[in-house]
Amino acid sequence: EPVAFSQARVYFSYDPAQQLLRFDEISVDSKWVSALAEGRAYLVGMESGWPSELLGQFQFRRISANPDGMYPEPIEVESAVMDMRLRIDPFLLTLGQLSMSDQSSRLVMEGALEARPEGWTLALDATMDALQPDRLLTLWPEGLAKGAREWIGKNVTRADLSNLQFAARFRPDHDPDVFLGFDYENLDTVFIKDVPPIEAAAGHASLIDSRFVITTDRGHVTAAQGGRIDISGTSFIIPDVNIERGPAGARLTTDSTITAALSLLDEGPFGFMRKANLPVTLADGRAQLTGRLD
């Protein structure tokens, strides 16, 4: 499908000795992207009278993007620097590197966009040094890995995200292949409804082949009685994020007082102690538990 634009403007000069285009201004407005840039491009293959490739370096002062309408509102980016190669026939746009400054964070991307007879093919890899959860959800398209995105938006109340890695492969007539991984600290999140939330957790999260996993290196749950429960080693899993309201599981590893462990097991969805007519204070000591909740 052609990408329509409403306005485009270019001011440039050409040095035939160097086969170099100097762009003083590039401006484009379209449904996919609106941008203002400057830069230079070397023309390759001019021996035949028309270039076969362009090798370019560009600096963007303004970017507003919404490719293929994947966002409710366009994404605004402060500035960017891009090294690229454009092959004209067949069409292939290769990003050597696209470095963006976004809300005090740095996003680095590389990839390739190719127009094939059967449709667009896109390969994209990206890393980011740090990000807040609300910005992650803004950059994460609503229709992509919807289950994982909804889980984070609904359950994560606070987190500091770092070392973000993203990869995506889009091919005609195929579901997208997506990978997302990040480290986190200071995470507060609900992991089971009607159970005290996880607090001050740190660990790693990943989305691979529709499987979303969060693992904790450290963190705790504050029980209604008995104090804190150490949950280091606990993980939360969504086997298939493409299934709406699909199955999920928690693999628990806890260390606490016996009272705190029994108090957790007596929370709303379980009620084990109430059903047994026993108090959560029936014993003193330490309890180390492992278990699986589906």
Side-chain angles (χ1 to χ4, degrees):
E1 293 289 339
V3 179
F5 63 89
S6 56
Q7 179 177 294
R9 182 173 62 248
V10 179
Y11 295 97
F12 66 92
S13 59
Y14 178 55
D15 182 347
Q18 299 185 62
Q19 298 182 356
L20 173 65
L21 286 169
R22 291 187 178 91
F23 296 93
D24 297 313
E25 178 184 331
I26 304 172
S27 175
V28 61
D29 287 314
S30 73
K31 291 183 178 180
W32 276 41
V33 63
S34 297
L36 181 64
E38 60 185 21
R40 58 176 58 192
Y42 290 93
L43 306 183
V44 179
M46 286 298 291
E47 298 82 3
S48 63
W50 187 256
S52 58
E53 295 182 4
L54 285 83
L55 302 177
Q57 295 178 320
F58 298 92
Q59 298 81 43
F60 294 86
R61 299 193 295 272
R62 174 179 58 82
I63 303 175
S64 176
N66 192 6
D68 204 24
M70 67 172 57
Y71 297 109
E73 298 292 337
I75 300 297
E76 304 287 340
V77 178
E78 300 165 6
S79 62
V81 178
M82 180 177 70
D83 297 329
M84 51 79 69
R85 172 188 176 191
L86 175 62
R87 189 177 68 194
I88 299 185
D89 188 15
F91 181 91
L92 173 63
L93 174 64
T94 303
L95 291 180
Q97 185 179 93
L98 174 61
S99 177
M100 298 183 182
S101 298
D102 181 69
Q103 298 185 358
S104 302
S105 298
R106 183 169 179 261
L107 173 66
V108 178
M109 305 171 66
E110 59 182 30
L113 176 66
E114 184 174 7
R116 296 180 177 178
E118 62 272 21
W120 290 102
T121 297
L122 173 65
L124 188 64
D125 298 300
T127 60
M128 199 169 193
D129 52 359
L131 193 65
Q132 291 300 309
D134 57 347
R135 187 58 173 170
L136 172 64
L137 295 178
T138 299
L139 298 174
W140 190 332
E142 291 187 359
L144 192 62
K146 186 176 180 181
R149 186 186 187 280
E150 288 182 348
W151 190 92
I152 292 175
K154 181 179 179 181
N155 295 290
V156 174
T157 57
R158 184 172 73 103
D160 297 321
L161 309 183
S162 62
N163 191 29
L164 290 96
Q165 299 174 313
F166 174 79
R169 301 293 184 267
F170 296 89
R171 295 173 295 166
D173 302 323
H174 287 80
D175 292 333
D177 294 323
V178 178
F179 165 80
L180 173 68
F182 56 86
D183 298 326
Y184 64 87
E185 291 184 331
N186 304 315
L187 170 69
D188 293 343
T189 182
V190 174
F191 70 107
I192 300 174
K193 186 179 180 182
D194 299 326
V195 171
I198 293 173
E199 300 173 301
H204 183 76
S206 63
L207 172 68
I208 305 174
D209 293 334
S210 302
R211 178 181 172 88
F212 182 60
V213 179
I214 294 181
T215 58
T216 58
D217 296 328
R218 66 177 185 271
H220 66 266
V221 171
T222 302
Q225 291 180 256
R228 289 183 174 181
I229 301 172
D230 187 326
I231 61 159
S232 301
T234 293
S235 61
F236 182 84
I237 303 164
I238 302 176
D240 189 345
V241 298
N242 297 313
I243 301 176
E244 188 171 354
R245 297 182 60 82
R251 295 178 181 174
L252 299 176
T253 300
T254 72
D255 187 352
S256 68
T257 65
I258 292 175
T259 297
L262 295 179
S263 177
L264 181 65
L265 293 174
D266 204 35
E267 290 291 348
F270 316 126
F272 296 137
M273 304 309 292
R274 293 193 304 274
K275 294 173 184 176
N277 292 318
L278 291 172
V280 298
T281 55
L282 62 82
D284 291 326
R286 302 294 298 180
Q288 294 179 331
L289 304 180
T290 58
R292 177 171 173 169
L293 301 172
D294 293 316

